[in-house]
Amino acid sequence: MIMAEMQPVKITETILRDAHQSLCATRMRISQMLPQLEALDEIGFNALEAWGGATFDTCLRFLDEDPWERLDTLKKHLKKTPIQMLLRGQNLLGYNHYSDDVVRAFVRKASEHGVRVFRIFDALNDIQNLRTSIDEALKCKEKPHVQGCLVYTVSPYHTNETFVELAKELEKMGCHSVCIKDMSGLLKPYVAEDLVKKLKAAIKVPIELHTHYTSGFGSMTYLKAIEAGVDIIDTALAPFACDTSQPCTETMIETLKESPRDTKLDRQKLIPVSKHFTQVKQDLIKEFNLKGYFDVNPNVLDFQIPGGMLSNLTNQLKEQGMEDKYQDLLDEMPRVRADLGYPPLVTPSSQIVGSMATFNVMFGRYKMVPKEFKDLARGKFGHTPKPISRDFLHSIGIQDSEIITDCAVEDAKEKTMAQFRDELAEKGYENAPEEDVLSYALFPQVAEEFFKKNLRSISTNKAKKLLGELLQIDDANELKKHLHDTLDN
């Protein structure tokens, strides 16, 4: 083993983001994180993944939290360890392609609020969808670490060699490190060893490996990657580890103890932290009626659903009384993926393929085709690894004129910051801070409901009008009713 490969393995801890996204549908609140933030900060992790992914949507939709305020709180309490976020390139944290000015504004604001590691990926590994976010992150005055991702998947169109070529492109774009993002636990131990060796020979920047335990490969894959020289691994504290989450932090620390790649981290310091999150997990399972655990399932090699999606999908099926359709859904996923040109299944492609598979199981194959599926099929999100046949596109109602070519990709993007700001002003939210405009840009209906519920400012004219109406009401009950009606509207 060469000297560079004998450095301590660094660990990125995922307890504050991917771990609870994978096992508890992203329902952990900032109040449940707060008691252990300082303790986590003292451990010596490479980074704490704590923002991005599904957290932004969940904060607004389910937890009545402002995601920007959550980030501010994390920044206040994490003084030593970089806060890492997961960003979906041109998709940001939503489910559309956003205009370049929206992407740039979002990256700048995230950096200002405390993100110090941007992990940036694209669901299709389309380099064009990564350029704007990577470029802007590199320009941020806070000088964050910018990490580009290889979204790992298995298909007739993906090889270790194709991933190495993508890694070279990411390095040329200025990325400070490259992450092998194995969101479904598909990376086998010896394949990981080969991939890491090839990457080490091809690029000079550090290599991080992110995997999920869904298939049962997790810890073995990490060990072979470590032997091949990987620099950083992602792990989760024991209460939120394994199953569809990451391999266990404490176990990996002990595995490497007194070895040439010893992490130098103190497992004993994690004992009280894990005790706290054991209780948090129990509380989440009870409050949200979650399953909270998943059996290892080697068949993920076929259906390829990411760990973070499995917990949400199971919860949604349970809510809809369709738990008995779970296996049918898993069987349909690879068929839909093949029809769609073998995209890696990661947000948003995983949700789009999952929704289509669900509709196929419920109503018959392609009897009802969501708009998002047609958009992915016609090229709105970029190129799929295998070109989709015109016959299939026609069969789901897509005409040749709707197929997006390279020169038309820009036209497929969403509105600009100015347009979103104008929309908010028309709804009564004049002079909204840029953070609120960005929240609205990503999740218009959800954000607007959040603004109403949390009494975000309305326009001066509307406020004057409301005040005038209130001053004319003498009866207390009538005044109360008018206020309630106003808030409801």
Side-chain angles (χ1 to χ4, degrees):
M1 185 176 288
I2 63 175
M3 186 61 66
E5 294 171 349
M6 295 181 67
Q7 298 298 314
V9 173
K10 296 179 181 179
I11 287 181
T12 293
E13 173 59 52
T14 67
I15 187 72
L16 304 180
R17 205 284 297 177
D18 200 9
H20 68 95
Q21 179 171 322
S22 295
L23 294 181
C24 287
T26 332
R27 295 300 197 268
M28 194 186 296
R29 295 182 170 85
I30 186 64
S31 60
Q32 293 168 312
M33 304 174 189
L34 265 173
Q36 297 299 327
L37 290 181
E38 279 84 1
L40 285 167
D41 198 28
E42 293 293 331
I43 299 300
F45 291 121
N46 173 68
L48 282 163
E49 190 185 61
W51 210 62
T55 60
F56 200 98
D57 183 4
T58 305
C59 278
L60 293 169
R61 192 185 301 268
F62 299 113
L63 303 181
D64 195 27
E65 284 186 30
D66 187 317
W68 299 103
E69 292 176 5
R70 173 183 284 203
L71 186 51
D72 288 338
T73 302
L74 291 165
K75 179 183 177 182
K76 179 180 177 181
H77 292 273
L78 298 173
K79 303 293 188 181
K80 300 178 180 179
T81 312
I83 298 170
Q84 177 175 298
M85 79 162 294
L86 182 66
L87 188 74
R88 301 194 284 266
Q90 207 73 35
N91 294 141
L92 295 176
L93 301 178
Y95 301 98
N96 295 297
H97 258 27
Y98 298 96
S99 62
D100 287 352
D101 72 325
V102 173
V103 172
R104 292 186 183 280
F106 188 93
V107 170
R108 285 196 305 271
K109 277 298 168 187
S111 182
E112 289 172 15
H113 282 266
V115 171
R116 292 295 173 264
V117 180
F118 284 92
R119 174 175 288 177
I120 303 174
F121 77 93
D122 175 62
L124 299 179
N125 283 323
D126 190 328
I127 207 78
Q128 299 304 322
N129 293 334
L130 298 169
R131 289 193 185 281
T132 303
S133 51
I134 288 175
D135 178 65
E136 191 61 35
L138 290 169
K139 291 178 180 177
C140 287
K141 63 180 181 180
E142 295 81 9
K143 303 298 181 186
H145 182 99
V146 182
Q147 183 180 79
C149 288
L150 317 173
V151 178
Y152 185 81
T153 190
V154 177
S155 84
Y157 297 87
H158 295 87
T159 65
N160 280 356
E161 287 71 24
T162 61
F163 290 121
V164 169
E165 290 306 308
L166 176 57
K168 290 179 181 178
E169 288 295 317
L170 294 171
E171 186 178 45
K172 287 179 185 176
M173 291 169 69
C175 289
H176 302 125
S177 64
V178 168
C179 176
I180 306 166
K181 181 175 170 55
D182 177 24
M183 61 284 171
S184 302
L186 306 178
L187 186 57
K188 301 174 185 177
Y190 289 101
V191 178
E193 180 184 33
D194 179 66
L195 178 55
V196 171
K197 284 181 177 179
K198 283 184 167 69
L199 288 170
K200 280 288 184 180
I203 61 176
K204 292 181 170 54
V205 297
I207 300 165
E208 185 158 359
L209 177 55
H210 171 95
T211 193
H212 290 248
Y213 216 89
T214 318
S215 61
F217 291 140
S219 298
M220 295 184 289
T221 292
Y222 275 173
L223 196 55
K224 294 305 293 183
I226 289 166
E227 290 174 354
V230 81
D231 300 282
I232 314 162
I233 58 173
D234 290 6
T235 62
L237 288 176
F240 282 88
C242 299
D243 298 354
T244 52
S245 182
Q246 282 72 55
C248 177
T249 302
E250 296 94 324
T251 303
M252 291 309 303
I253 289 173
E254 285 301 309
T255 298
L256 298 171
K257 193 172 182 179
E258 299 180 0
S259 78
R261 305 297 311 278
D262 193 332
T263 66
K264 309 299 184 185
L265 301 182
D266 186 350
R267 181 182 60 84
Q268 294 296 321
K269 291 182 179 179
L270 290 171
I271 293 175
V273 183
S274 277
K275 284 183 179 178
H276 167 80
F277 284 109
T278 297
Q279 184 60 54
V280 168
K281 183 178 180 182
Q282 293 171 357
D283 292 342
L284 292 177
I285 290 171
K286 182 177 180 181
E287 179 181 359
F288 294 103
N289 192 28
L290 301 169
K291 184 176 181 180
Y293 69 91
F294 295 85
D295 296 328
V296 166
N297 190 346
N299 293 327
V300 71
L301 297 173
D302 301 316
F303 59 74
Q304 298 197 17
I305 298 177
M309 184 181 172
L310 271 175
S311 66
N312 283 284
L313 183 61
T314 303
N315 194 45
Q316 289 165 11
L317 288 174
K318 189 174 183 179
E319 289 173 351
Q320 296 169 17
M322 289 178 57
E323 287 178 281
D324 61 319
K325 299 291 186 182
Y326 184 65
Q327 189 56 51
D328 293 339
L329 182 57
L330 298 186
D331 293 340
E332 180 63 9
M333 287 284 288
R335 292 193 285 265
V336 172
R337 179 174 178 249
D339 291 338
L340 202 56
Y342 294 99
L345 293 186
V346 65
T347 305
S349 60
S350 56
Q351 284 79 3
I352 293 171
V353 172
S355 295
M356 188 69 260
T358 301
F359 285 144
N360 283 356
V361 168
M362 292 174 64
F363 307 116
R365 301 201 83 223
Y366 302 112
K367 299 296 184 184
M368 182 181 293
V369 183
K371 176 182 178 296
E372 293 78 9
F373 185 83
K374 290 184 178 181
D375 282 344
L376 182 55
R378 70 189 180 91
K380 182 175 178 179
F381 297 103
H383 298 291
T384 54
K386 174 190 174 185
I388 303 172
S389 74
R390 292 296 175 104
D391 287 344
F392 177 74
L393 293 174
H394 295 161
S395 74
I396 60 172
I398 296 174
Q399 304 303 314
D400 287 345
S401 61
E402 297 176 284
I403 299 172
I404 296 174
T405 59
D406 287 342
C407 61
V409 167
E410 185 65 33
D411 298 331
K413 295 177 183 177
E414 287 293 301
K415 305 165 190 171
T416 65
M417 283 291 287
Q419 289 172 311
F420 284 122
R421 190 179 294 281
D422 289 344
E423 278 189 18
L424 273 178
E426 289 175 7
K427 295 173 180 290
Y429 298 91
E430 292 178 354
N431 303 315
E434 194 167 45
E435 290 85 350
D436 283 358
V437 178
L438 289 164
S439 295
Y440 177 79
L442 266 61
F443 302 103
Q445 293 180 329
V446 173
E448 191 177 353
E449 285 301 312
F450 176 82
F451 297 158
K452 288 180 181 179
K453 188 174 182 181
N454 289 274
L455 303 179
R456 285 289 205 264
S457 62
I458 60 175
S459 69
T460 303
N461 289 335
K462 284 196 172 185
K464 286 180 179 178
K465 180 183 177 185
L466 174 60
L467 185 58
E469 292 172 351
L470 297 177
L471 288 172
Q472 296 177 33
I473 300 174
D474 295 323
D475 182 73
N477 289 329
E478 183 64 25
L479 179 63
K480 185 176 180 181
K481 181 179 182 301
H482 190 76
L483 278 169
H484 276 296
D485 290 343
T486 302
L487 291 173
D488 288 341
N489 294 322

